[in-house]
Amino acid sequence: MSDKTAKLYQEGKTQEAIQALIKDIDHEPKNANNYLELSTYLLEQGAIDQAKKLLVQAKGLVKKPQDMDYNLAICYYMEGDFDRALALLDTIPNNDETYYQKALVFHKLGNPQKALAFAMSVSKVDNDLLELLGDIWLSLGDFARARENYLKIPKDERSGKLNFLIGVTLFGSNRQEAEQYFTLAEKIAPDYYQTAKKQYDSLLKVVKQGK
């Protein structure tokens, strides 16, 4: 990753960073790092199709085309083409990044057991992994383990989604505390809160009846 373009991007000068990388690619069309950095920025900006086209083009130019496969798998994942993402990930040597991405894909495919197996294989634990582990345990119906992972994320780093789901995991055991998390979620992300409330309404009714 170029220090110059990374600095521009971190300063919020996204277009300047992208244009600088395009120039770098024109000068060094076989430099894999420039394609990877540019595709990462494009993906973060939601330009999935542009990132995918760039990576496919790069595969025909760089010395090791397989270096593009991880970012390409992320493109397929973000497009919702989970089977294709998984097929590509299966060709890449396993490490923390591929384990995490496979866990994401299997979670989206509705296979929480496999998702959990890959997520548990990741050695470096960060907020993204904790959130994913919480989501997987929640899909398995283990509210206690889901909550345990969510709560490991520092309070000031929890999104509206996280606060809402902590509330979901508490709803059956501590209604009052659950409502506090719901209120916090609504304050942080009102649009998400309204959507999630509808999405989880039937589950909360079942939990309420079981109480």
Side-chain angles (χ1 to χ4, degrees):
M1 183 174 285
S2 159
D3 289 341
K4 177 188 72 176
T5 51
K7 188 170 183 291
L8 284 170
Y9 192 78
Q10 286 161 9
E11 289 172 351
K13 298 173 182 175
T14 309
Q15 288 307 313
E16 287 181 42
I18 287 172
Q19 289 305 316
L21 278 166
I22 290 171
K23 284 182 182 177
D24 288 344
I25 286 170
D26 286 341
H27 289 142
E28 293 182 89
K30 293 186 178 182
N31 185 326
N33 290 331
N34 290 331
Y35 294 105
L36 291 171
E37 187 178 352
L38 180 53
S39 66
T40 298
Y41 294 162
L42 290 171
L43 285 169
E44 287 178 1
Q45 297 302 311
I48 305 165
D49 195 51
Q50 282 180 266
K52 186 171 73 173
K53 285 177 182 174
L54 175 75
L55 291 164
V56 170
Q57 174 194 345
K59 281 175 75 72
L61 296 168
V62 298
K63 189 176 180 181
K64 295 181 179 177
Q66 63 271 27
D67 287 349
M68 303 297 116
D69 287 348
Y70 180 75
N71 280 22
L72 195 53
I74 293 176
C75 290
Y76 293 138
Y77 170 81
M78 291 177 74
E79 285 181 331
D81 194 344
F82 304 128
D83 290 327
R84 200 167 181 184
L86 193 60
L88 199 52
L89 286 167
D90 279 339
T91 69
I92 303 170
N94 281 323
N95 56 28
D96 274 1
E97 287 184 339
T98 51
Y99 283 140
Y100 175 78
Q101 199 63 35
K102 283 180 181 181
L104 274 177
V105 172
F106 277 116
H107 179 54
K108 288 289 186 181
L109 286 170
N111 191 330
Q113 288 83 6
K114 277 197 173 182
L116 184 62
F118 282 113
M120 297 287 277
S121 299
V122 178
S123 57
K124 185 185 175 184
V125 178
D126 58 14
N127 288 354
D128 288 338
L129 180 64
L130 289 169
E131 183 172 347
L132 177 57
L133 281 165
D135 292 348
I136 295 167
W137 282 118
L138 187 62
S139 69
L140 286 164
D142 193 328
F143 287 7
R145 285 188 179 176
R147 183 167 63 252
E148 180 187 341
N149 282 281
Y150 291 145
L151 290 175
K152 285 178 184 175
I153 298 171
K155 282 184 183 180
D156 59 349
E157 294 175 33
R158 291 178 199 157
S159 61
K161 173 212 166 187
L162 273 171
N163 282 292
F164 182 86
L165 293 180
I166 292 169
V168 170
T169 66
L170 282 164
F171 196 76
S173 56
N174 190 329
R175 191 80 45 83
Q176 189 176 352
E177 193 178 356
E179 292 295 348
Q180 289 173 359
Y181 279 103
F182 290 150
T183 301
L184 189 55
E186 186 176 18
K187 184 180 177 182
I188 295 171
D191 291 341
Y192 170 82
Y193 172 79
Q194 293 302 328
T195 305
K197 195 178 175 186
K198 290 175 187 173
Q199 182 185 345
Y200 284 90
D201 186 51
S202 16
L203 172 63
L204 293 176
K205 280 179 182 172
V206 170
V207 173
K208 189 176 181 179
Q209 287 164 5
K211 177 68 179 159

PDB file of all heavy atoms in Angstrom, residues 123-150:
ATOM      1  N   SER A 123      -7.723 -16.422  14.461  1.00  0.00           N
ATOM      2  CA  SER A 123      -6.897 -16.270  15.668  1.00  0.00           C
ATOM      3  C   SER A 123      -6.929 -14.845  16.229  1.00  0.00           C
ATOM      4  O   SER A 123      -6.874 -14.647  17.437  1.00  0.00           O
ATOM      5  CB  SER A 123      -5.450 -16.679  15.379  1.00  0.00           C
ATOM      6  OG  SER A 123      -4.925 -15.922  14.316  1.00  0.00           O
ATOM      7  N   LYS A 124      -7.024 -13.854  15.351  1.00  0.00           N
ATOM      8  CA  LYS A 124      -7.025 -12.459  15.803  1.00  0.00           C
ATOM      9  C   LYS A 124      -8.460 -12.000  16.063  1.00  0.00           C
ATOM     10  O   LYS A 124      -9.263 -11.909  15.138  1.00  0.00           O
ATOM     11  CB  LYS A 124      -6.366 -11.554  14.760  1.00  0.00           C
ATOM     12  CG  LYS A 124      -6.226 -10.110  15.229  1.00  0.00           C
ATOM     13  CD  LYS A 124      -5.674  -9.234  14.129  1.00  0.00           C
ATOM     14  CE  LYS A 124      -5.648  -7.773  14.559  1.00  0.00           C
ATOM     15  NZ  LYS A 124      -5.201  -6.884  13.472  1.00  0.00           N
ATOM     16  N   VAL A 125      -8.762 -11.729  17.324  1.00  0.00           N
ATOM     17  CA  VAL A 125     -10.129 -11.333  17.688  1.00  0.00           C
ATOM     18  C   VAL A 125     -10.249  -9.814  17.666  1.00  0.00           C
ATOM     19  O   VAL A 125      -9.516  -9.110  18.366  1.00  0.00           O
ATOM     20  CB  VAL A 125     -10.506 -11.859  19.092  1.00  0.00           C
ATOM     21  CG1 VAL A 125     -11.898 -11.415  19.485  1.00  0.00           C
ATOM     22  CG2 VAL A 125     -10.393 -13.380  19.133  1.00  0.00           C
ATOM     23  N   ASP A 126     -11.164  -9.310  16.818  1.00  0.00           N
ATOM     24  CA  ASP A 126     -11.441  -7.872  16.801  1.00  0.00           C
ATOM     25  C   ASP A 126     -12.955  -7.668  16.852  1.00  0.00           C
ATOM     26  O   ASP A 126     -13.722  -8.631  16.956  1.00  0.00           O
ATOM     27  CB  ASP A 126     -10.828  -7.203  15.559  1.00  0.00           C
ATOM     28  CG  ASP A 126     -11.341  -7.799  14.243  1.00  0.00           C
ATOM     29  OD1 ASP A 126     -12.366  -8.536  14.266  1.00  0.00           O
ATOM     30  OD2 ASP A 126     -10.737  -7.533  13.194  1.00  0.00           O
ATOM     31  N   ASN A 127     -13.395  -6.416  16.791  1.00  0.00           N
ATOM     32  CA  ASN A 127     -14.824  -6.115  16.903  1.00  0.00           C
ATOM     33  C   ASN A 127     -15.655  -6.775  15.803  1.00  0.00           C
ATOM     34  O   ASN A 127     -16.772  -7.231  16.049  1.00  0.00           O
ATOM     35  CB  ASN A 127     -15.056  -4.604  16.884  1.00  0.00           C
ATOM     36  CG  ASN A 127     -14.608  -3.931  18.171  1.00  0.00           C
ATOM     37  OD1 ASN A 127     -14.221  -4.593  19.123  1.00  0.00           O
ATOM     38  ND2 ASN A 127     -14.643  -2.609  18.201  1.00  0.00           N
ATOM     39  N   ASP A 128     -15.105  -6.804  14.576  1.00  0.00           N
ATOM     40  CA  ASP A 128     -15.845  -7.415  13.457  1.00  0.00           C
ATOM     41  C   ASP A 128     -16.098  -8.893  13.725  1.00  0.00           C
ATOM     42  O   ASP A 128     -17.191  -9.403  13.466  1.00  0.00           O
ATOM     43  CB  ASP A 128     -15.069  -7.250  12.146  1.00  0.00           C
ATOM     44  CG  ASP A 128     -15.079  -5.811  11.645  1.00  0.00           C
ATOM     45  OD1 ASP A 128     -15.987  -5.054  12.049  1.00  0.00           O
ATOM     46  OD2 ASP A 128     -14.180  -5.445  10.870  1.00  0.00           O
ATOM     47  N   LEU A 129     -15.068  -9.579  14.234  1.00  0.00           N
ATOM     48  CA  LEU A 129     -15.220 -11.008  14.520  1.00  0.00           C
ATOM     49  C   LEU A 129     -16.207 -11.227  15.659  1.00  0.00           C
ATOM     50  O   LEU A 129     -17.056 -12.125  15.590  1.00  0.00           O
ATOM     51  CB  LEU A 129     -13.869 -11.638  14.863  1.00  0.00           C
ATOM     52  CG  LEU A 129     -13.926 -13.139  15.187  1.00  0.00           C
ATOM     53  CD1 LEU A 129     -14.366 -13.945  13.967  1.00  0.00           C
ATOM     54  CD2 LEU A 129     -12.589 -13.645  15.697  1.00  0.00           C
ATOM     55  N   LEU A 130     -16.111 -10.417  16.704  1.00  0.00           N
ATOM     56  CA  LEU A 130     -17.031 -10.552  17.845  1.00  0.00           C
ATOM     57  C   LEU A 130     -18.479 -10.347  17.410  1.00  0.00           C
ATOM     58  O   LEU A 130     -19.384 -11.076  17.835  1.00  0.00           O
ATOM     59  CB  LEU A 130     -16.663  -9.544  18.941  1.00  0.00           C
ATOM     60  CG  LEU A 130     -15.368  -9.836  19.713  1.00  0.00           C
ATOM     61  CD1 LEU A 130     -14.977  -8.639  20.576  1.00  0.00           C
ATOM     62  CD2 LEU A 130     -15.514 -11.085  20.571  1.00  0.00           C
ATOM     63  N   GLU A 131     -18.690  -9.364  16.534  1.00  0.00           N
ATOM     64  CA  GLU A 131     -20.045  -9.106  16.031  1.00  0.00           C
ATOM     65  C   GLU A 131     -20.548 -10.293  15.212  1.00  0.00           C
ATOM     66  O   GLU A 131     -21.690 -10.724  15.357  1.00  0.00           O
ATOM     67  CB  GLU A 131     -20.067  -7.829  15.190  1.00  0.00           C
ATOM     68  CG  GLU A 131     -21.455  -7.467  14.693  1.00  0.00           C
ATOM     69  CD  GLU A 131     -21.501  -6.108  14.023  1.00  0.00           C
ATOM     70  OE1 GLU A 131     -20.539  -5.323  14.144  1.00  0.00           O
ATOM     71  OE2 GLU A 131     -22.520  -5.823  13.355  1.00  0.00           O
ATOM     72  N   LEU A 132     -19.675 -10.818  14.356  1.00  0.00           N
ATOM     73  CA  LEU A 132     -20.069 -11.964  13.540  1.00  0.00           C
ATOM     74  C   LEU A 132     -20.366 -13.182  14.412  1.00  0.00           C
ATOM     75  O   LEU A 132     -21.368 -13.875  14.199  1.00  0.00           O
ATOM     76  CB  LEU A 132     -18.966 -12.298  12.531  1.00  0.00           C
ATOM     77  CG  LEU A 132     -19.211 -13.526  11.644  1.00  0.00           C
ATOM     78  CD1 LEU A 132     -20.506 -13.394  10.852  1.00  0.00           C
ATOM     79  CD2 LEU A 132     -18.030 -13.752  10.708  1.00  0.00           C
ATOM     80  N   LEU A 133     -19.520 -13.439  15.404  1.00  0.00           N
ATOM     81  CA  LEU A 133     -19.764 -14.570  16.318  1.00  0.00           C
ATOM     82  C   LEU A 133     -21.105 -14.386  17.036  1.00  0.00           C
ATOM     83  O   LEU A 133     -21.874 -15.341  17.189  1.00  0.00           O
ATOM     84  CB  LEU A 133     -18.636 -14.673  17.342  1.00  0.00           C
ATOM     85  CG  LEU A 133     -17.341 -15.336  16.856  1.00  0.00           C
ATOM     86  CD1 LEU A 133     -16.196 -15.063  17.818  1.00  0.00           C
ATOM     87  CD2 LEU A 133     -17.536 -16.844  16.665  1.00  0.00           C
ATOM     88  N   GLY A 134     -21.382 -13.161  17.463  1.00  0.00           N
ATOM     89  CA  GLY A 134     -22.670 -12.887  18.099  1.00  0.00           C
ATOM     90  C   GLY A 134     -23.827 -13.173  17.171  1.00  0.00           C
ATOM     91  O   GLY A 134     -24.819 -13.808  17.553  1.00  0.00           O
ATOM     92  N   ASP A 135     -23.689 -12.732  15.914  1.00  0.00           N
ATOM     93  CA  ASP A 135     -24.755 -12.954  14.918  1.00  0.00           C
ATOM     94  C   ASP A 135     -24.981 -14.445  14.672  1.00  0.00           C
ATOM     95  O   ASP A 135     -26.123 -14.900  14.525  1.00  0.00           O
ATOM     96  CB  ASP A 135     -24.394 -12.268  13.596  1.00  0.00           C
ATOM     97  CG  ASP A 135     -24.413 -10.742  13.686  1.00  0.00           C
ATOM     98  OD1 ASP A 135     -24.923 -10.212  14.695  1.00  0.00           O
ATOM     99  OD2 ASP A 135     -23.914 -10.100  12.744  1.00  0.00           O
ATOM    100  N   ILE A 136     -23.878 -15.190  14.616  1.00  0.00           N
ATOM    101  CA  ILE A 136     -23.994 -16.637  14.360  1.00  0.00           C
ATOM    102  C   ILE A 136     -24.665 -17.340  15.536  1.00  0.00           C
ATOM    103  O   ILE A 136     -25.591 -18.141  15.352  1.00  0.00           O
ATOM    104  CB  ILE A 136     -22.609 -17.258  14.068  1.00  0.00           C
ATOM    105  CG1 ILE A 136     -22.014 -16.691  12.772  1.00  0.00           C
ATOM    106  CG2 ILE A 136     -22.716 -18.777  13.965  1.00  0.00           C
ATOM    107  CD1 ILE A 136     -20.537 -17.007  12.562  1.00  0.00           C
ATOM    108  N   TRP A 137     -24.216 -17.032  16.762  1.00  0.00           N
ATOM    109  CA  TRP A 137     -24.842 -17.644  17.933  1.00  0.00           C
ATOM    110  C   TRP A 137     -26.323 -17.261  18.024  1.00  0.00           C
ATOM    111  O   TRP A 137     -27.158 -18.098  18.403  1.00  0.00           O
ATOM    112  CB  TRP A 137     -24.111 -17.212  19.224  1.00  0.00           C
ATOM    113  CG  TRP A 137     -22.825 -17.934  19.462  1.00  0.00           C
ATOM    114  CD1 TRP A 137     -21.569 -17.407  19.539  1.00  0.00           C
ATOM    115  CD2 TRP A 137     -22.654 -19.350  19.670  1.00  0.00           C
ATOM    116  NE1 TRP A 137     -20.634 -18.389  19.763  1.00  0.00           N
ATOM    117  CE2 TRP A 137     -21.276 -19.594  19.862  1.00  0.00           C
ATOM    118  CE3 TRP A 137     -23.539 -20.433  19.714  1.00  0.00           C
ATOM    119  CZ2 TRP A 137     -20.760 -20.866  20.092  1.00  0.00           C
ATOM    120  CZ3 TRP A 137     -23.023 -21.717  19.948  1.00  0.00           C
ATOM    121  CH2 TRP A 137     -21.655 -21.915  20.128  1.00  0.00           C
ATOM    122  N   LEU A 138     -26.644 -16.039  17.651  1.00  0.00           N
ATOM    123  CA  LEU A 138     -28.045 -15.605  17.669  1.00  0.00           C
ATOM    124  C   LEU A 138     -28.870 -16.427  16.685  1.00  0.00           C
ATOM    125  O   LEU A 138     -29.981 -16.867  16.993  1.00  0.00           O
ATOM    126  CB  LEU A 138     -28.143 -14.108  17.328  1.00  0.00           C
ATOM    127  CG  LEU A 138     -29.521 -13.464  17.462  1.00  0.00           C
ATOM    128  CD1 LEU A 138     -30.034 -13.528  18.897  1.00  0.00           C
ATOM    129  CD2 LEU A 138     -29.477 -12.011  16.999  1.00  0.00           C
ATOM    130  N   SER A 139     -28.307 -16.672  15.499  1.00  0.00           N
ATOM    131  CA  SER A 139     -29.016 -17.476  14.496  1.00  0.00           C
ATOM    132  C   SER A 139     -29.182 -18.922  14.953  1.00  0.00           C
ATOM    133  O   SER A 139     -30.097 -19.623  14.515  1.00  0.00           O
ATOM    134  CB  SER A 139     -28.296 -17.419  13.137  1.00  0.00           C
ATOM    135  OG  SER A 139     -27.069 -18.108  13.192  1.00  0.00           O
ATOM    136  N   LEU A 140     -28.293 -19.357  15.854  1.00  0.00           N
ATOM    137  CA  LEU A 140     -28.391 -20.715  16.417  1.00  0.00           C
ATOM    138  C   LEU A 140     -29.323 -20.753  17.632  1.00  0.00           C
ATOM    139  O   LEU A 140     -29.556 -21.809  18.208  1.00  0.00           O
ATOM    140  CB  LEU A 140     -27.003 -21.222  16.818  1.00  0.00           C
ATOM    141  CG  LEU A 140     -26.079 -21.635  15.665  1.00  0.00           C
ATOM    142  CD1 LEU A 140     -24.635 -21.737  16.145  1.00  0.00           C
ATOM    143  CD2 LEU A 140     -26.535 -22.959  15.058  1.00  0.00           C
ATOM    144  N   GLY A 141     -29.826 -19.580  18.019  1.00  0.00           N
ATOM    145  CA  GLY A 141     -30.765 -19.511  19.147  1.00  0.00           C
ATOM    146  C   GLY A 141     -30.099 -19.502  20.509  1.00  0.00           C
ATOM    147  O   GLY A 141     -30.769 -19.638  21.533  1.00  0.00           O
ATOM    148  N   ASP A 142     -28.760 -19.327  20.541  1.00  0.00           N
ATOM    149  CA  ASP A 142     -28.058 -19.280  21.821  1.00  0.00           C
ATOM    150  C   ASP A 142     -27.871 -17.812  22.214  1.00  0.00           C
ATOM    151  O   ASP A 142     -26.846 -17.189  21.920  1.00  0.00           O
ATOM    152  CB  ASP A 142     -26.703 -19.993  21.699  1.00  0.00           C
ATOM    153  CG  ASP A 142     -26.057 -20.249  23.059  1.00  0.00           C
ATOM    154  OD1 ASP A 142     -26.266 -19.423  23.977  1.00  0.00           O
ATOM    155  OD2 ASP A 142     -25.340 -21.256  23.198  1.00  0.00           O
ATOM    156  N   PHE A 143     -28.883 -17.259  22.882  1.00  0.00           N
ATOM    157  CA  PHE A 143     -28.878 -15.835  23.211  1.00  0.00           C
ATOM    158  C   PHE A 143     -27.746 -15.477  24.172  1.00  0.00           C
ATOM    159  O   PHE A 143     -27.156 -14.402  24.066  1.00  0.00           O
ATOM    160  CB  PHE A 143     -30.215 -15.433  23.833  1.00  0.00           C
ATOM    161  CG  PHE A 143     -31.355 -15.376  22.847  1.00  0.00           C
ATOM    162  CD1 PHE A 143     -31.200 -15.796  21.536  1.00  0.00           C
ATOM    163  CD2 PHE A 143     -32.595 -14.888  23.235  1.00  0.00           C
ATOM    164  CE1 PHE A 143     -32.231 -15.745  20.625  1.00  0.00           C
ATOM    165  CE2 PHE A 143     -33.651 -14.826  22.329  1.00  0.00           C
ATOM    166  CZ  PHE A 143     -33.466 -15.257  21.018  1.00  0.00           C
ATOM    167  N   ALA A 144     -27.439 -16.360  25.109  1.00  0.00           N
ATOM    168  CA  ALA A 144     -26.404 -16.061  26.109  1.00  0.00           C
ATOM    169  C   ALA A 144     -25.032 -15.903  25.449  1.00  0.00           C
ATOM    170  O   ALA A 144     -24.295 -14.951  25.742  1.00  0.00           O
ATOM    171  CB  ALA A 144     -26.363 -17.159  27.170  1.00  0.00           C
ATOM    172  N   ARG A 145     -24.692 -16.820  24.540  1.00  0.00           N
ATOM    173  CA  ARG A 145     -23.389 -16.737  23.877  1.00  0.00           C
ATOM    174  C   ARG A 145     -23.346 -15.565  22.894  1.00  0.00           C
ATOM    175  O   ARG A 145     -22.299 -14.939  22.716  1.00  0.00           O
ATOM    176  CB  ARG A 145     -23.072 -18.052  23.166  1.00  0.00           C
ATOM    177  CG  ARG A 145     -22.658 -19.148  24.140  1.00  0.00           C
ATOM    178  CD  ARG A 145     -22.176 -20.374  23.430  1.00  0.00           C
ATOM    179  NE  ARG A 145     -21.750 -21.406  24.355  1.00  0.00           N
ATOM    180  CZ  ARG A 145     -21.361 -22.616  23.994  1.00  0.00           C
ATOM    181  NH1 ARG A 145     -21.312 -22.937  22.722  1.00  0.00           N
ATOM    182  NH2 ARG A 145     -20.994 -23.505  24.890  1.00  0.00           N
ATOM    183  N   ALA A 146     -24.477 -15.294  22.259  1.00  0.00           N
ATOM    184  CA  ALA A 146     -24.549 -14.139  21.354  1.00  0.00           C
ATOM    185  C   ALA A 146     -24.267 -12.864  22.149  1.00  0.00           C
ATOM    186  O   ALA A 146     -23.420 -12.041  21.757  1.00  0.00           O
ATOM    187  CB  ALA A 146     -25.923 -14.066  20.699  1.00  0.00           C
ATOM    188  N   ARG A 147     -24.965 -12.726  23.270  1.00  0.00           N
ATOM    189  CA  ARG A 147     -24.794 -11.525  24.115  1.00  0.00           C
ATOM    190  C   ARG A 147     -23.362 -11.421  24.647  1.00  0.00           C
ATOM    191  O   ARG A 147     -22.778 -10.336  24.679  1.00  0.00           O
ATOM    192  CB  ARG A 147     -25.791 -11.569  25.273  1.00  0.00           C
ATOM    193  CG  ARG A 147     -25.742 -10.338  26.167  1.00  0.00           C
ATOM    194  CD  ARG A 147     -26.947 -10.272  27.091  1.00  0.00           C
ATOM    195  NE  ARG A 147     -27.017 -11.372  28.028  1.00  0.00           N
ATOM    196  CZ  ARG A 147     -27.902 -12.374  27.971  1.00  0.00           C
ATOM    197  NH1 ARG A 147     -28.794 -12.437  26.993  1.00  0.00           N
ATOM    198  NH2 ARG A 147     -27.921 -13.334  28.887  1.00  0.00           N
ATOM    199  N   GLU A 148     -22.802 -12.553  25.023  1.00  0.00           N
ATOM    200  CA  GLU A 148     -21.428 -12.570  25.558  1.00  0.00           C
ATOM    201  C   GLU A 148     -20.442 -11.961  24.555  1.00  0.00           C
ATOM    202  O   GLU A 148     -19.567 -11.183  24.925  1.00  0.00           O
ATOM    203  CB  GLU A 148     -21.038 -14.022  25.871  1.00  0.00           C
ATOM    204  CG  GLU A 148     -19.642 -14.190  26.438  1.00  0.00           C
ATOM    205  CD  GLU A 148     -19.254 -15.661  26.578  1.00  0.00           C
ATOM    206  OE1 GLU A 148     -20.158 -16.530  26.593  1.00  0.00           O
ATOM    207  OE2 GLU A 148     -18.052 -15.938  26.665  1.00  0.00           O
ATOM    208  N   ASN A 149     -20.603 -12.315  23.280  1.00  0.00           N
ATOM    209  CA  ASN A 149     -19.709 -11.766  22.249  1.00  0.00           C
ATOM    210  C   ASN A 149     -19.998 -10.300  21.973  1.00  0.00           C
ATOM    211  O   ASN A 149     -19.067  -9.495  21.853  1.00  0.00           O
ATOM    212  CB  ASN A 149     -19.821 -12.592  20.962  1.00  0.00           C
ATOM    213  CG  ASN A 149     -19.049 -13.885  21.044  1.00  0.00           C
ATOM    214  OD1 ASN A 149     -17.838 -13.907  20.884  1.00  0.00           O
ATOM    215  ND2 ASN A 149     -19.743 -14.986  21.320  1.00  0.00           N
ATOM    216  N   TYR A 150     -21.267  -9.939  21.876  1.00  0.00           N
ATOM    217  CA  TYR A 150     -21.617  -8.538  21.632  1.00  0.00           C
ATOM    218  C   TYR A 150     -21.072  -7.622  22.734  1.00  0.00           C
ATOM    219  O   TYR A 150     -20.573  -6.536  22.456  1.00  0.00           O
ATOM    220  CB  TYR A 150     -23.137  -8.356  21.565  1.00  0.00           C
ATOM    221  CG  TYR A 150     -23.811  -8.975  20.364  1.00  0.00           C
ATOM    222  CD1 TYR A 150     -25.087  -9.537  20.476  1.00  0.00           C
ATOM    223  CD2 TYR A 150     -23.207  -8.977  19.102  1.00  0.00           C
ATOM    224  CE1 TYR A 150     -25.735 -10.087  19.383  1.00  0.00           C
ATOM    225  CE2 TYR A 150     -23.842  -9.528  18.007  1.00  0.00           C
ATOM    226  CZ  TYR A 150     -25.112 -10.087  18.150  1.00  0.00           C
ATOM    227  OH  TYR A 150     -25.753 -10.630  17.059  1.00  0.00           O
TER     228      TYR A 150
END
